[in-house]
Amino acid sequence: MFVLGILSSFAAVAAMCWLLFNLAVFALPFFVGLHAGIWVYGTGAGWLGAILVGGFAAGLTLAIGQALIILVRPLWARFVITLIFVVPASTPP
């Protein structure tokens, strides 16, 4: 029973690390989509327009980021692109 508790603790820590790194990738698209949606709502487009434009902006940001990671060859440039995606997740609110 003691071994089962240790193994479940390792599994929980691994799951939290996976969640942290996975959410770090989606932080920048989320913030871009959120701010685009707020801006569109402020222009008078309504809730539906804000949701559609925010979702499109978030998806486009994620797609551009993934395409850049695939297409850019120098390692330092990939590192810069990765930092651009990770920094919004690591800054305090």
Side-chain angles (χ1 to χ4, degrees), residues 68-83:
L68 284 174
I69 290 291
I70 291 170
L71 296 175
V72 172
R73 299 292 295 170
L75 188 59
W76 64 269
R78 286 184 181 187
F79 182 69
V80 169
I81 294 167
T82 306
L83 278 179

Side-chain angles (χ1 to χ4, degrees), residues 7-75:
L7 290 177
S8 64
S9 296
F10 282 136
V13 168
M16 290 299 134
C17 287
W18 174 81
L19 185 63
L20 176 71
F21 292 124
N22 196 16
L23 291 178
V25 172
F26 298 114
L28 179 68
F30 173 74
F31 287 131
V32 168
L34 180 70
H35 287 290
I38 289 171
W39 175 73
V40 168
Y41 183 74
T43 62
W47 287 101
L48 183 61
I51 291 170
L52 289 176
V53 170
F56 179 75
L60 187 65
T61 303
L62 184 62
I64 288 173
Q66 288 182 352
L68 284 174
I69 290 291
I70 291 170
L71 296 175
V72 172
R73 299 292 295 170
L75 188 59

